[in-house]
């Protein structure tokens, strides 16, 4: 080694030592003797809150399901012919057909030259023209206002007034969003602050939809669990809310209460009395209410009815309607629409401080605007064909058929699962999922523990490998200690759902025998 090379090596060594002392990545020697700079971003240097984020409905089970689909397509032999994904509420991926009128209008908006095509009904054309006139340059390719297109927000406000029996709605309180998820995360960003014992705590139901736990982990907030009552059809009990709140106040500052109604993953529909009790609780404890109401059209059980939090709030009188802060959320992804990919949604804000609303508007403006096709679709959802218009009869026919099929599949799922010894399923009152409780033999629990897996993850992974059925373990949603569940959608077509349920039944019996 000559003097120049030795000097270069000495400098690099000193540089590496200095980097180490400063907590920076070291340089490495490659096989050809060259120095390779270590990556700036590694698993040890990324934002630590990101590593805490988990999202069960697209977790390891689903990743393995995708691998199995690929292996089947390559001709590999499996004990099943296809993978049936029942892990996520993706209606169209499960075969649900789109509403014709919605797709006609969106096609016309995307390609206005079609407005001269006589195969499209006149009400679809007039609706498309109205939407396009509200777009910059009369094109859906233009940005909209950050809060959303004015005419769409006006239509959303009129829809809410009709839904809630005339309770007034100001379009200025409406924010169009990229699906409901975007609105929920945005509101959590506004709420989260503080450090240590003053850090914001947010109350979420257990079982919960993993969006909430993931968002709270990313934001560094405190997740406050309150448990739904499985023995009473996943009801929400005020004493349990009080217990969770009182305990949480010892280590954080609880500021918000999140409710999912109809429920995900549990499928319950809260009674009006329950909603009233929750509002009174939030008022007494000074909590910001977040009402996730994306399944408001998905109510199937006799005696159940959807009541919006806003409607109940205003029916309770000025003591509550003038003071309780509420954000409610809706989406184009669920109900009878199932248009998940368009990412349309809205949130309505009640009793929000004007200065905070200005900050919210600033925050959403950073992302410019929600997808304009999603805004257009949201407009069609809240302002569908009216009686006397050419598309009305077919719209009602398609909407009714979709919701009726979901109601039948909800009942079928409950009935079949409850015939299996070791599986107990509450009535699927609403939404798109069942969350049955399963008995896992102690021998299987032990084997799962030895493998470092949750017992219901072990159960669901084994089911996937043996049957091709993709479900999500209850541990991904939260559950009481010592209980095990899985979540499955009721979305597959009836013939495929029957196959799925039969396979679940057969697998559970075999699994129980194997580990008894």
């Amino acid at each position: 080694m000559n003097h120049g090379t030795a000097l270069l090596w000495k400098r690099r060594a000193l540089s590496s030592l200095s980097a180490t002392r400063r907590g920076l990545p070291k340089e490495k020697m490659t096989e050809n003797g060259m120095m390779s700079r270590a990556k700036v971003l590694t698993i040890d240097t990324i934002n630590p809150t990101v590593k805490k984020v988990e999202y069960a409905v697209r977790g390891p089970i689903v990743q393995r399901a995708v691998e199995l689909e690929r292996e089947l397509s390559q001709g590999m032999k499996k004990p099943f012919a296809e993978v049936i994904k029942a892990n996520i509420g993706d209606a169209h991926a499960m075969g649900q057909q789109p509403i014709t009128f919605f797709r006609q209008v969106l096609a016309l908006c995307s390609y206005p030259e079609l407005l001269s095509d006589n195969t499209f009904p006149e009400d679809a054309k007039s609706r498309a023209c109205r939407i396009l006139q509200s777009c910059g340059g009369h094109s859906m390719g233009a940005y909209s206002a950050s809060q959303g297109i004015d005419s769409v927000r006006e239509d959303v406000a009129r829809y809410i007034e009709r839904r809630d029996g005339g309770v007034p709605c100001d379009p200025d309180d409406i924010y169009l969003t990229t699906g409901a998820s975007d609105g929920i995360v945005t509101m959590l960003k506004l709420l989260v602050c503080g450090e240590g014992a003053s850090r914001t705590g947010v109350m979420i139901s257990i079982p919960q939809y993993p969006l909430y736990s993931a968002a709270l982990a990313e934001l560094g907030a405190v997740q406050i669990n309150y448990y739904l009552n499985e023995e009473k059809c996943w009801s929400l009990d005020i004493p349990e809310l009080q217990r969770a709140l009182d305990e949480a106040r010892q280590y954080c500052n609880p500021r918000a209460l999140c409710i999912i109604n109809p429920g995900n993953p549990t499928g319950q529909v809260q009674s009006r009395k329950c909603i009233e009790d929750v509002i009174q609780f939030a008022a007494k404890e000074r909590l910001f209410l977040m009402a996730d109401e994306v399944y408001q059209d998905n109510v199937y059980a006799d005696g159940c009815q959807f009541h919006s939090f806003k409607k109940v709030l205003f029916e309770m009188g000025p003591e509550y309607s003038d003071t309780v802060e509420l954000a409610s959320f809706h989406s184009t992804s669920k109900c009878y629409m199932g248009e998940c990919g368009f990412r349309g949604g809205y949130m309505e804000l009640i009793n929000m401080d004007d200065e905070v609303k200005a900050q919210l508007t600033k925050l959403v403006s950073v992302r410019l605007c929600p997808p304009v096709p999603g805004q257009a679709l949201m407009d069609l959802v809240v302002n569908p064909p009216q009686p006397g218009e050419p598309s009305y009869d077919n719209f009602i026919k398609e909407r009714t058929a979709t919701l009726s099929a979901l109601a039948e599949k909800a009942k079928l799922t409950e009935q079949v699962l409850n015939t299996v010894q070791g599986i107990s399923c509450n009535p699927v009152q609403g939404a798109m999922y069942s969350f049955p409780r399963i008995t896992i033999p102690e021998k299987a629990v032990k084997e799962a523990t030895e493998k470092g897996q949750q017992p219901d993850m072990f159960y669901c992974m084994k089911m996937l490998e043996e049957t091709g059925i993709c479900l999500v373990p209850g541990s991904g949603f939260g559950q009481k200690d010592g209980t095990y569940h899985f979540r499955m959608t009721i979305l597959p077509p009836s013939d495929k759902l029957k196959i799925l349920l039969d396979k679940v039944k057969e697998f559970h019996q075999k699994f129980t025998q194997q580990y008894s």
Side-chain angles (χ1 to χ4, degrees):
M1 183 184 296
N2 61 37
H3 178 72
T5 304
L7 186 61
L8 178 62
W9 273 103
K10 184 177 180 180
R11 287 174 179 168
R12 285 176 173 171
L14 289 171
S15 175
S16 180
L17 178 61
S18 175
T20 301
R21 287 172 178 166
R22 287 179 287 152
L24 299 175
K26 297 179 182 179
E27 293 180 335
K28 298 178 181 178
M29 176 70 75
T30 63
E31 290 181 1
N32 62 8
M34 300 296 291
M35 294 302 295
S36 170
R37 187 176 299 278
K39 294 185 182 298
V40 173
L41 198 59
T42 70
I43 194 65
D44 295 321
T45 62
I46 65 170
N47 182 342
T49 63
V50 172
K51 290 189 280 187
K52 297 178 183 178
V53 172
E54 295 183 4
Y55 191 63
V57 295
R58 294 200 177 193
I61 292 269
V62 184
Q63 293 164 17
R64 178 57 184 149
V66 172
E67 290 175 1
L68 287 171
E69 284 183 318
R70 188 180 304 118
E71 291 170 7
L72 282 170
S73 69
Q74 293 169 350
M76 293 180 65
K77 297 297 182 184
K78 302 289 178 185
F80 45 86
E82 66 172 331
V83 173
I84 301 179
K85 293 179 184 174
N87 60 294
I88 194 168
D90 192 353
H92 291 190
M94 295 284 184
Q96 182 174 308
Q97 294 303 300
I99 298 296
T100 301
F101 180 77
F102 293 173
R103 289 301 183 89
Q104 287 175 331
V105 177
L106 290 171
L108 291 162
C109 288
S110 299
Y111 192 61
E113 285 80 354
L114 292 174
L115 288 166
S116 60
D117 190 328
N118 292 329
T119 60
F120 288 85
E122 288 304 314
D123 54 345
K125 290 181 180 181
S126 63
R127 194 66 56 82
C129 289
R130 181 173 178 271
I131 292 170
L132 288 172
Q133 285 168 4
S134 301
C135 295
H138 297 170
S139 170
M140 282 207 303
Y143 289 129
S144 76
S146 298
Q147 196 169 338
I149 297 170
D150 287 348
S151 65
V152 178
R153 291 190 295 116
E154 290 164 4
D155 285 348
V156 169
R158 302 295 82 78
Y159 159 80
I160 291 172
E161 288 180 353
R162 292 192 304 271
R163 182 197 68 186
D164 293 344
V167 176
C169 180
D170 185 347
D172 194 47
D173 292 333
I174 303 297
Y175 285 72
L176 300 182
T177 58
T178 308
S181 302
D182 173 49
I184 291 165
V185 172
T186 300
M187 285 308 307
L188 290 174
K189 285 181 179 179
L190 287 178
L191 283 157
V192 173
C193 64
E195 296 180 358
S198 67
R199 201 158 49 128
T200 294
V202 178
M203 302 182 71
I204 66 172
S205 61
I206 299 295
Q208 55 106 20
Y209 177 50
L211 163 70
Y212 292 90
S213 57
L216 294 176
E218 183 180 355
L219 294 170
V222 178
Q223 176 179 318
I224 304 170
N225 297 337
Y226 66 89
Y227 289 87
L228 300 177
N229 190 334
E230 184 171 9
E231 283 65 38
K232 294 183 180 178
C233 204
W234 300 112
S235 65
L236 194 164
D237 299 330
I238 298 301
E240 169 59 15
L241 285 180
Q242 193 69 60
R243 176 206 63 78
L245 182 70
D246 291 344
E247 290 182 8
R249 280 187 168 143
Q250 298 175 32
Y251 55 85
C252 71
N253 177 25
R255 302 185 73 200
L257 170 58
C258 300
I259 309 287
I260 308 175
N261 180 52
N264 176 11
T266 43
Q268 86 286 358
V269 178
Q270 303 295 359
S271 68
R272 190 193 182 287
K273 175 65 166 62
C274 174
I275 294 171
E276 203 171 291
D277 291 343
V278 168
I279 291 170
Q280 290 173 341
F281 176 82
K284 176 173 73 79
E285 302 293 350
R286 294 191 68 245
L287 295 170
F288 190 105
L289 265 177
M290 294 177 61
D292 182 339
E293 299 175 331
V294 302
Y295 298 99
Q296 57 191 258
D297 289 323
N298 298 110
V299 178
Y300 317 121
D302 292 339
C304 289
Q305 181 182 349
F306 170 74
H307 301 275
S308 78
F309 265 78
K310 181 188 178 183
K311 183 174 189 287
V312 176
L313 176 66
F314 276 77
E315 287 175 349
M316 291 171 68
E319 178 186 356
Y320 297 99
S321 61
D322 289 350
T323 59
V324 174
E325 295 157 271
L326 168 68
S328 61
F329 308 90
H330 195 17
S331 168
T332 63
S333 301
K334 309 304 177 185
C335 299
Y336 62 92
M337 302 85 71
E339 295 280 14
C340 302
F342 279 98
R343 310 308 300 130
Y346 73 76
M347 61 180 175
E348 182 187 15
L349 307 175
I350 304 297
N351 292 323
M352 177 167 275
D353 180 89
D354 287 340
E355 291 183 339
V356 174
K357 189 186 282 189
Q359 292 297 314
L360 170 60
T361 302
K362 177 185 73 176
L363 186 61
V364 299
S365 71
V366 172
R367 285 171 290 180
L368 298 177
C369 68
V372 173
Q375 295 186 52
L377 180 60
M378 190 81 254
D379 187 71
L380 301 173
V381 170
V382 299
N383 188 18
Q386 301 301 305
E389 292 184 332
S391 300
Y392 178 75
D393 289 344
N394 191 55
F395 167 76
I396 293 298
K397 178 183 175 183
E398 291 178 341
R399 181 184 187 276
T400 302
T402 298
L403 292 175
S404 296
L406 286 169
E408 290 173 7
K409 290 186 284 189
K411 193 170 185 179
L412 174 69
T413 301
E414 175 200 347
Q415 289 175 339
V416 173
L417 290 177
N418 280 327
T419 65
V420 186
Q421 187 173 358
I423 297 182
S424 174
C425 183
N426 271 316
V428 182
Q429 297 176 331
M432 297 175 171
Y433 317 95
S434 65
F435 197 70
R437 186 168 176 170
I438 53 177
T439 301
I440 298 181
E442 193 57 42
K443 187 177 175 182
V445 172
K446 183 179 179 183
E447 184 173 332
T449 304
E450 289 171 352
K451 292 184 176 183
Q453 293 183 345
Q454 291 287 344
D456 48 10
M457 169 65 85
F458 175 77
Y459 175 96
C460 288
M461 190 65 83
K462 204 166 182 64
M463 184 189 296
L464 175 62
E465 296 286 354
E466 295 183 13
T467 68
I469 302 297
C470 180
L471 308 177
V472 190
S475 51
F477 301 88
Q479 56 197 349
K480 283 192 174 181
D481 290 343
T483 69
Y484 307 109
H485 302 78
F486 60 75
R487 187 191 82 160
M488 62 166 283
T489 73
I490 61 170
L491 288 171
S494 294
D495 56 345
K496 192 166 285 190
L497 181 63
K498 289 173 183 175
I499 293 171
L500 185 157
L501 291 168
D502 286 342
K503 284 191 172 187
V504 169
K505 181 176 181 179
E506 182 181 334
F507 169 81
H508 187 84
Q509 292 168 340
K510 179 182 173 184
F511 181 87
T512 302
Q513 291 171 358
Q514 180 182 352
Y515 287 99
S516 294

